[in-house]
Amino acid sequence: DVGCYPFSPHCTLLYNFDKPPMAANEEACGKDMLEGAWQSYRNKIRERDGAKSNVRLTLEPTQFYFFHYPKEADNGRGFGCVISLLLFKRTEHLALLHNVVQEVFPADERHGDSSSSGEVEFRPHMAFVYAPEAQYERLKNYTENKLAHEKPNLLEPMEARYLSLWSTQGNLNDWYRIQYIDLRNSS
């Protein structure tokens, strides 16, 4: 009733990249790209650690965070919304996955790893809600007050379950998931 759109909570690795040219079957192409990124990540972890077992990715929450992302932000590429987030620790494994995903999905200038080079450092987070800017005060209060008091269990470490690819072209109600892979079933 307030213009919020449902999304499964997710840890964002990249956003606002140009969607790669895909074959006629967008889902199949997206799945191939996601599986390729996950395989590359697993190979790098196994090479580094010498591990032969399943590779798991643990997300370590640090705090709840409210973010206003107006349409005019980032040279007109902002989402034009307010977002309730859970920030994650930038672990070595999460940073490595971010770098691998950038190899498959070329990122824009906001997804670098070094602030000294003028690029923005990767800030891992889980988005709970994308809401119209008119909901600024309501969502800010919810994020900064209610979540911390009513959902402290969300600050406990959690295992990543999926890697997914979304189209975020257009307005919030135009967004859709192109494809996902289940990380728990891959070894």
PDB file of all heavy atoms in Angstrom, residues 87-114:
ATOM      1  N   LEU A  87      24.599  -4.311   6.992  1.00  0.00           N
ATOM      2  CA  LEU A  87      25.976  -4.290   6.494  1.00  0.00           C
ATOM      3  C   LEU A  87      26.710  -5.540   6.944  1.00  0.00           C
ATOM      4  O   LEU A  87      26.470  -6.062   8.034  1.00  0.00           O
ATOM      5  CB  LEU A  87      26.710  -3.050   7.007  1.00  0.00           C
ATOM      6  CG  LEU A  87      26.134  -1.705   6.588  1.00  0.00           C
ATOM      7  CD1 LEU A  87      26.988  -0.568   7.150  1.00  0.00           C
ATOM      8  CD2 LEU A  87      26.012  -1.585   5.078  1.00  0.00           C
ATOM      9  N   PHE A  88      27.619  -6.027   6.077  1.00  0.00           N
ATOM     10  CA  PHE A  88      28.422  -7.206   6.375  1.00  0.00           C
ATOM     11  C   PHE A  88      29.894  -6.843   6.467  1.00  0.00           C
ATOM     12  O   PHE A  88      30.364  -5.920   5.791  1.00  0.00           O
ATOM     13  CB  PHE A  88      28.282  -8.267   5.266  1.00  0.00           C
ATOM     14  CG  PHE A  88      26.945  -8.912   5.214  1.00  0.00           C
ATOM     15  CD1 PHE A  88      26.093  -8.688   4.158  1.00  0.00           C
ATOM     16  CD2 PHE A  88      26.519  -9.764   6.228  1.00  0.00           C
ATOM     17  CE1 PHE A  88      24.854  -9.289   4.101  1.00  0.00           C
ATOM     18  CE2 PHE A  88      25.282 -10.370   6.181  1.00  0.00           C
ATOM     19  CZ  PHE A  88      24.445 -10.132   5.114  1.00  0.00           C
ATOM     20  N   LYS A  89      30.612  -7.599   7.261  1.00  0.00           N
ATOM     21  CA  LYS A  89      32.069  -7.486   7.325  1.00  0.00           C
ATOM     22  C   LYS A  89      32.623  -7.858   5.956  1.00  0.00           C
ATOM     23  O   LYS A  89      32.196  -8.827   5.338  1.00  0.00           O
ATOM     24  CB  LYS A  89      32.611  -8.435   8.400  1.00  0.00           C
ATOM     25  CG  LYS A  89      34.100  -8.402   8.557  1.00  0.00           C
ATOM     26  CD  LYS A  89      34.543  -9.346   9.664  1.00  0.00           C
ATOM     27  CE  LYS A  89      36.045  -9.351   9.801  1.00  0.00           C
ATOM     28  NZ  LYS A  89      36.474 -10.341  10.800  1.00  0.00           N
ATOM     29  N   ARG A  90      33.572  -7.078   5.492  1.00  0.00           N
ATOM     30  CA  ARG A  90      34.201  -7.343   4.193  1.00  0.00           C
ATOM     31  C   ARG A  90      35.307  -8.372   4.417  1.00  0.00           C
ATOM     32  O   ARG A  90      36.475  -8.044   4.528  1.00  0.00           O
ATOM     33  CB  ARG A  90      34.760  -6.057   3.602  1.00  0.00           C
ATOM     34  CG  ARG A  90      35.280  -6.216   2.193  1.00  0.00           C
ATOM     35  CD  ARG A  90      35.743  -4.859   1.673  1.00  0.00           C
ATOM     36  NE  ARG A  90      36.121  -4.962   0.298  1.00  0.00           N
ATOM     37  CZ  ARG A  90      37.383  -4.971  -0.124  1.00  0.00           C
ATOM     38  NH1 ARG A  90      38.377  -4.874   0.733  1.00  0.00           N
ATOM     39  NH2 ARG A  90      37.652  -5.069  -1.394  1.00  0.00           N
ATOM     40  N   THR A  91      34.894  -9.641   4.465  1.00  0.00           N
ATOM     41  CA  THR A  91      35.843 -10.720   4.710  1.00  0.00           C
ATOM     42  C   THR A  91      36.676 -10.977   3.466  1.00  0.00           C
ATOM     43  O   THR A  91      36.317 -10.566   2.358  1.00  0.00           O
ATOM     44  CB  THR A  91      35.120 -12.017   5.104  1.00  0.00           C
ATOM     45  OG1 THR A  91      34.304 -12.434   3.999  1.00  0.00           O
ATOM     46  CG2 THR A  91      34.266 -11.828   6.354  1.00  0.00           C
ATOM     47  N   GLU A  92      37.757 -11.674   3.655  1.00  0.00           N
ATOM     48  CA  GLU A  92      38.623 -12.032   2.528  1.00  0.00           C
ATOM     49  C   GLU A  92      37.849 -12.853   1.488  1.00  0.00           C
ATOM     50  O   GLU A  92      37.986 -12.634   0.289  1.00  0.00           O
ATOM     51  CB  GLU A  92      39.820 -12.823   3.055  1.00  0.00           C
ATOM     52  CG  GLU A  92      40.858 -13.140   2.013  1.00  0.00           C
ATOM     53  CD  GLU A  92      42.046 -13.894   2.602  1.00  0.00           C
ATOM     54  OE1 GLU A  92      42.238 -13.880   3.828  1.00  0.00           O
ATOM     55  OE2 GLU A  92      42.764 -14.511   1.801  1.00  0.00           O
ATOM     56  N   HIS A  93      37.019 -13.782   1.954  1.00  0.00           N
ATOM     57  CA  HIS A  93      36.259 -14.628   1.022  1.00  0.00           C
ATOM     58  C   HIS A  93      35.209 -13.821   0.261  1.00  0.00           C
ATOM     59  O   HIS A  93      35.032 -14.012  -0.945  1.00  0.00           O
ATOM     60  CB  HIS A  93      35.599 -15.784   1.768  1.00  0.00           C
ATOM     61  CG  HIS A  93      36.554 -16.871   2.131  1.00  0.00           C
ATOM     62  ND1 HIS A  93      36.141 -18.145   2.370  1.00  0.00           N
ATOM     63  CD2 HIS A  93      37.897 -16.893   2.282  1.00  0.00           C
ATOM     64  CE1 HIS A  93      37.184 -18.903   2.667  1.00  0.00           C
ATOM     65  NE2 HIS A  93      38.261 -18.145   2.618  1.00  0.00           N
ATOM     66  N   LEU A  94      34.517 -12.912   0.952  1.00  0.00           N
ATOM     67  CA  LEU A  94      33.498 -12.101   0.287  1.00  0.00           C
ATOM     68  C   LEU A  94      34.140 -11.137  -0.704  1.00  0.00           C
ATOM     69  O   LEU A  94      33.631 -10.929  -1.803  1.00  0.00           O
ATOM     70  CB  LEU A  94      32.674 -11.356   1.329  1.00  0.00           C
ATOM     71  CG  LEU A  94      31.349 -10.765   0.880  1.00  0.00           C
ATOM     72  CD1 LEU A  94      30.474 -11.779   0.154  1.00  0.00           C
ATOM     73  CD2 LEU A  94      30.598 -10.194   2.070  1.00  0.00           C
ATOM     74  N   ALA A  95      35.293 -10.575  -0.354  1.00  0.00           N
ATOM     75  CA  ALA A  95      36.012  -9.685  -1.273  1.00  0.00           C
ATOM     76  C   ALA A  95      36.486 -10.455  -2.510  1.00  0.00           C
ATOM     77  O   ALA A  95      36.411  -9.949  -3.636  1.00  0.00           O
ATOM     78  CB  ALA A  95      37.197  -9.034  -0.563  1.00  0.00           C
ATOM     79  N   LEU A  96      36.932 -11.685  -2.316  1.00  0.00           N
ATOM     80  CA  LEU A  96      37.357 -12.510  -3.448  1.00  0.00           C
ATOM     81  C   LEU A  96      36.178 -12.806  -4.372  1.00  0.00           C
ATOM     82  O   LEU A  96      36.293 -12.689  -5.598  1.00  0.00           O
ATOM     83  CB  LEU A  96      37.991 -13.818  -2.965  1.00  0.00           C
ATOM     84  CG  LEU A  96      38.399 -14.802  -4.060  1.00  0.00           C
ATOM     85  CD1 LEU A  96      39.439 -14.200  -5.000  1.00  0.00           C
ATOM     86  CD2 LEU A  96      38.929 -16.093  -3.442  1.00  0.00           C
ATOM     87  N   LEU A  97      35.025 -13.163  -3.797  1.00  0.00           N
ATOM     88  CA  LEU A  97      33.844 -13.418  -4.634  1.00  0.00           C
ATOM     89  C   LEU A  97      33.449 -12.158  -5.391  1.00  0.00           C
ATOM     90  O   LEU A  97      33.118 -12.220  -6.577  1.00  0.00           O
ATOM     91  CB  LEU A  97      32.678 -13.945  -3.796  1.00  0.00           C
ATOM     92  CG  LEU A  97      31.405 -14.270  -4.585  1.00  0.00           C
ATOM     93  CD1 LEU A  97      31.659 -15.300  -5.691  1.00  0.00           C
ATOM     94  CD2 LEU A  97      30.316 -14.767  -3.630  1.00  0.00           C
ATOM     95  N   HIS A  98      33.497 -11.014  -4.741  1.00  0.00           N
ATOM     96  CA  HIS A  98      33.202  -9.741  -5.403  1.00  0.00           C
ATOM     97  C   HIS A  98      34.129  -9.537  -6.611  1.00  0.00           C
ATOM     98  O   HIS A  98      33.683  -9.192  -7.704  1.00  0.00           O
ATOM     99  CB  HIS A  98      33.366  -8.595  -4.403  1.00  0.00           C
ATOM    100  CG  HIS A  98      33.326  -7.230  -5.007  1.00  0.00           C
ATOM    101  ND1 HIS A  98      32.168  -6.647  -5.473  1.00  0.00           N
ATOM    102  CD2 HIS A  98      34.310  -6.336  -5.232  1.00  0.00           C
ATOM    103  CE1 HIS A  98      32.445  -5.451  -5.942  1.00  0.00           C
ATOM    104  NE2 HIS A  98      33.742  -5.234  -5.813  1.00  0.00           N
ATOM    105  N   ASN A  99      35.428  -9.793  -6.432  1.00  0.00           N
ATOM    106  CA  ASN A  99      36.386  -9.633  -7.529  1.00  0.00           C
ATOM    107  C   ASN A  99      36.116 -10.598  -8.668  1.00  0.00           C
ATOM    108  O   ASN A  99      36.207 -10.232  -9.849  1.00  0.00           O
ATOM    109  CB  ASN A  99      37.815  -9.805  -7.010  1.00  0.00           C
ATOM    110  CG  ASN A  99      38.244  -8.654  -6.130  1.00  0.00           C
ATOM    111  OD1 ASN A  99      37.710  -7.545  -6.207  1.00  0.00           O
ATOM    112  ND2 ASN A  99      39.189  -8.912  -5.243  1.00  0.00           N
ATOM    113  N   VAL A 100      35.765 -11.836  -8.330  1.00  0.00           N
ATOM    114  CA  VAL A 100      35.467 -12.830  -9.362  1.00  0.00           C
ATOM    115  C   VAL A 100      34.211 -12.428 -10.135  1.00  0.00           C
ATOM    116  O   VAL A 100      34.172 -12.517 -11.363  1.00  0.00           O
ATOM    117  CB  VAL A 100      35.311 -14.237  -8.736  1.00  0.00           C
ATOM    118  CG1 VAL A 100      34.696 -15.217  -9.713  1.00  0.00           C
ATOM    119  CG2 VAL A 100      36.658 -14.747  -8.234  1.00  0.00           C
ATOM    120  N   VAL A 101      33.198 -11.976  -9.428  1.00  0.00           N
ATOM    121  CA  VAL A 101      31.957 -11.563 -10.088  1.00  0.00           C
ATOM    122  C   VAL A 101      32.218 -10.383 -11.021  1.00  0.00           C
ATOM    123  O   VAL A 101      31.653 -10.300 -12.110  1.00  0.00           O
ATOM    124  CB  VAL A 101      30.863 -11.244  -9.037  1.00  0.00           C
ATOM    125  CG1 VAL A 101      29.682 -10.539  -9.667  1.00  0.00           C
ATOM    126  CG2 VAL A 101      30.408 -12.523  -8.344  1.00  0.00           C
ATOM    127  N   GLN A 102      33.130  -9.476 -10.629  1.00  0.00           N
ATOM    128  CA  GLN A 102      33.479  -8.354 -11.498  1.00  0.00           C
ATOM    129  C   GLN A 102      34.120  -8.827 -12.803  1.00  0.00           C
ATOM    130  O   GLN A 102      33.994  -8.155 -13.827  1.00  0.00           O
ATOM    131  CB  GLN A 102      34.452  -7.408 -10.803  1.00  0.00           C
ATOM    132  CG  GLN A 102      33.801  -6.484  -9.816  1.00  0.00           C
ATOM    133  CD  GLN A 102      34.805  -5.506  -9.252  1.00  0.00           C
ATOM    134  OE1 GLN A 102      35.890  -5.885  -8.808  1.00  0.00           O
ATOM    135  NE2 GLN A 102      34.451  -4.241  -9.253  1.00  0.00           N
ATOM    136  N   GLU A 103      34.802  -9.952 -12.770  1.00  0.00           N
ATOM    137  CA  GLU A 103      35.413 -10.490 -13.983  1.00  0.00           C
ATOM    138  C   GLU A 103      34.342 -10.963 -14.960  1.00  0.00           C
ATOM    139  O   GLU A 103      34.511 -10.880 -16.168  1.00  0.00           O
ATOM    140  CB  GLU A 103      36.350 -11.648 -13.642  1.00  0.00           C
ATOM    141  CG  GLU A 103      37.572 -11.241 -12.849  1.00  0.00           C
ATOM    142  CD  GLU A 103      38.362 -12.429 -12.301  1.00  0.00           C
ATOM    143  OE1 GLU A 103      38.037 -13.589 -12.643  1.00  0.00           O
ATOM    144  OE2 GLU A 103      39.293 -12.195 -11.514  1.00  0.00           O
ATOM    145  N   VAL A 104      33.232 -11.479 -14.429  1.00  0.00           N
ATOM    146  CA  VAL A 104      32.149 -12.000 -15.270  1.00  0.00           C
ATOM    147  C   VAL A 104      31.189 -10.886 -15.677  1.00  0.00           C
ATOM    148  O   VAL A 104      30.733 -10.836 -16.809  1.00  0.00           O
ATOM    149  CB  VAL A 104      31.384 -13.124 -14.530  1.00  0.00           C
ATOM    150  CG1 VAL A 104      30.191 -13.615 -15.343  1.00  0.00           C
ATOM    151  CG2 VAL A 104      32.320 -14.278 -14.208  1.00  0.00           C
ATOM    152  N   PHE A 105      30.878  -9.997 -14.737  1.00  0.00           N
ATOM    153  CA  PHE A 105      29.950  -8.891 -14.967  1.00  0.00           C
ATOM    154  C   PHE A 105      30.717  -7.590 -14.770  1.00  0.00           C
ATOM    155  O   PHE A 105      30.869  -7.136 -13.634  1.00  0.00           O
ATOM    156  CB  PHE A 105      28.791  -8.941 -13.967  1.00  0.00           C
ATOM    157  CG  PHE A 105      28.011 -10.216 -14.010  1.00  0.00           C
ATOM    158  CD1 PHE A 105      28.302 -11.255 -13.135  1.00  0.00           C
ATOM    159  CD2 PHE A 105      26.984 -10.392 -14.925  1.00  0.00           C
ATOM    160  CE1 PHE A 105      27.582 -12.431 -13.164  1.00  0.00           C
ATOM    161  CE2 PHE A 105      26.262 -11.574 -14.956  1.00  0.00           C
ATOM    162  CZ  PHE A 105      26.558 -12.595 -14.086  1.00  0.00           C
ATOM    163  N   PRO A 106      31.236  -6.993 -15.842  1.00  0.00           N
ATOM    164  CA  PRO A 106      32.046  -5.780 -15.677  1.00  0.00           C
ATOM    165  C   PRO A 106      31.286  -4.698 -14.910  1.00  0.00           C
ATOM    166  O   PRO A 106      30.181  -4.319 -15.279  1.00  0.00           O
ATOM    167  CB  PRO A 106      32.321  -5.349 -17.122  1.00  0.00           C
ATOM    168  CG  PRO A 106      32.154  -6.594 -17.929  1.00  0.00           C
ATOM    169  CD  PRO A 106      31.083  -7.390 -17.222  1.00  0.00           C
ATOM    170  N   ALA A 107      31.906  -4.227 -13.828  1.00  0.00           N
ATOM    171  CA  ALA A 107      31.276  -3.246 -12.948  1.00  0.00           C
ATOM    172  C   ALA A 107      31.556  -1.833 -13.420  1.00  0.00           C
ATOM    173  O   ALA A 107      32.495  -1.588 -14.166  1.00  0.00           O
ATOM    174  CB  ALA A 107      31.801  -3.436 -11.534  1.00  0.00           C
ATOM    175  N   ASP A 108      30.727  -0.907 -12.933  1.00  0.00           N
ATOM    176  CA  ASP A 108      30.996   0.490 -13.229  1.00  0.00           C
ATOM    177  C   ASP A 108      31.994   1.043 -12.210  1.00  0.00           C
ATOM    178  O   ASP A 108      32.509   0.311 -11.377  1.00  0.00           O
ATOM    179  CB  ASP A 108      29.694   1.300 -13.304  1.00  0.00           C
ATOM    180  CG  ASP A 108      28.992   1.472 -11.971  1.00  0.00           C
ATOM    181  OD1 ASP A 108      29.621   1.257 -10.915  1.00  0.00           O
ATOM    182  OD2 ASP A 108      27.808   1.833 -11.977  1.00  0.00           O
ATOM    183  N   GLU A 109      32.234   2.338 -12.273  1.00  0.00           N
ATOM    184  CA  GLU A 109      33.295   2.952 -11.472  1.00  0.00           C
ATOM    185  C   GLU A 109      33.040   2.921  -9.973  1.00  0.00           C
ATOM    186  O   GLU A 109      33.936   3.177  -9.185  1.00  0.00           O
ATOM    187  CB  GLU A 109      33.514   4.401 -11.925  1.00  0.00           C
ATOM    188  CG  GLU A 109      32.370   5.351 -11.598  1.00  0.00           C
ATOM    189  CD  GLU A 109      31.215   5.325 -12.590  1.00  0.00           C
ATOM    190  OE1 GLU A 109      31.260   4.543 -13.557  1.00  0.00           O
ATOM    191  OE2 GLU A 109      30.255   6.086 -12.393  1.00  0.00           O
ATOM    192  N   ARG A 110      31.836   2.567  -9.535  1.00  0.00           N
ATOM    193  CA  ARG A 110      31.537   2.581  -8.103  1.00  0.00           C
ATOM    194  C   ARG A 110      31.899   1.285  -7.400  1.00  0.00           C
ATOM    195  O   ARG A 110      31.654   1.127  -6.226  1.00  0.00           O
ATOM    196  CB  ARG A 110      30.051   2.859  -7.883  1.00  0.00           C
ATOM    197  CG  ARG A 110      29.698   4.275  -8.281  1.00  0.00           C
ATOM    198  CD  ARG A 110      28.233   4.460  -8.327  1.00  0.00           C
ATOM    199  NE  ARG A 110      27.748   3.679  -9.458  1.00  0.00           N
ATOM    200  CZ  ARG A 110      26.497   3.340  -9.623  1.00  0.00           C
ATOM    201  NH1 ARG A 110      25.613   3.674  -8.747  1.00  0.00           N
ATOM    202  NH2 ARG A 110      26.133   2.655 -10.671  1.00  0.00           N
ATOM    203  N   HIS A 111      32.504   0.340  -8.075  1.00  0.00           N
ATOM    204  CA  HIS A 111      32.724  -0.967  -7.472  1.00  0.00           C
ATOM    205  C   HIS A 111      34.189  -1.338  -7.362  1.00  0.00           C
ATOM    206  O   HIS A 111      34.539  -2.500  -7.392  1.00  0.00           O
ATOM    207  CB  HIS A 111      31.987  -2.037  -8.277  1.00  0.00           C
ATOM    208  CG  HIS A 111      30.518  -1.835  -8.239  1.00  0.00           C
ATOM    209  ND1 HIS A 111      29.857  -1.153  -9.213  1.00  0.00           N
ATOM    210  CD2 HIS A 111      29.593  -2.189  -7.326  1.00  0.00           C
ATOM    211  CE1 HIS A 111      28.576  -1.118  -8.913  1.00  0.00           C
ATOM    212  NE2 HIS A 111      28.389  -1.729  -7.778  1.00  0.00           N
ATOM    213  N   GLY A 112      35.040  -0.375  -7.202  1.00  0.00           N
ATOM    214  CA  GLY A 112      36.460  -0.665  -7.094  1.00  0.00           C
ATOM    215  C   GLY A 112      36.839  -1.156  -5.710  1.00  0.00           C
ATOM    216  O   GLY A 112      36.022  -1.277  -4.822  1.00  0.00           O
ATOM    217  N   ASP A 113      38.116  -1.415  -5.518  1.00  0.00           N
ATOM    218  CA  ASP A 113      38.607  -1.916  -4.247  1.00  0.00           C
ATOM    219  C   ASP A 113      39.509  -0.930  -3.530  1.00  0.00           C
ATOM    220  O   ASP A 113      39.981  -1.201  -2.445  1.00  0.00           O
ATOM    221  CB  ASP A 113      39.370  -3.229  -4.452  1.00  0.00           C
ATOM    222  CG  ASP A 113      38.422  -4.380  -4.683  1.00  0.00           C
ATOM    223  OD1 ASP A 113      37.326  -4.382  -4.117  1.00  0.00           O
ATOM    224  OD2 ASP A 113      38.806  -5.281  -5.440  1.00  0.00           O
ATOM    225  N   SER A 114      39.797   0.191  -4.127  1.00  0.00           N
ATOM    226  CA  SER A 114      40.769   1.082  -3.506  1.00  0.00           C
ATOM    227  C   SER A 114      40.266   2.516  -3.503  1.00  0.00           C
ATOM    228  O   SER A 114      40.138   3.136  -4.543  1.00  0.00           O
ATOM    229  CB  SER A 114      42.092   1.000  -4.265  1.00  0.00           C
ATOM    230  OG  SER A 114      42.973   1.972  -3.793  1.00  0.00           O
TER     231      SER A 114
END
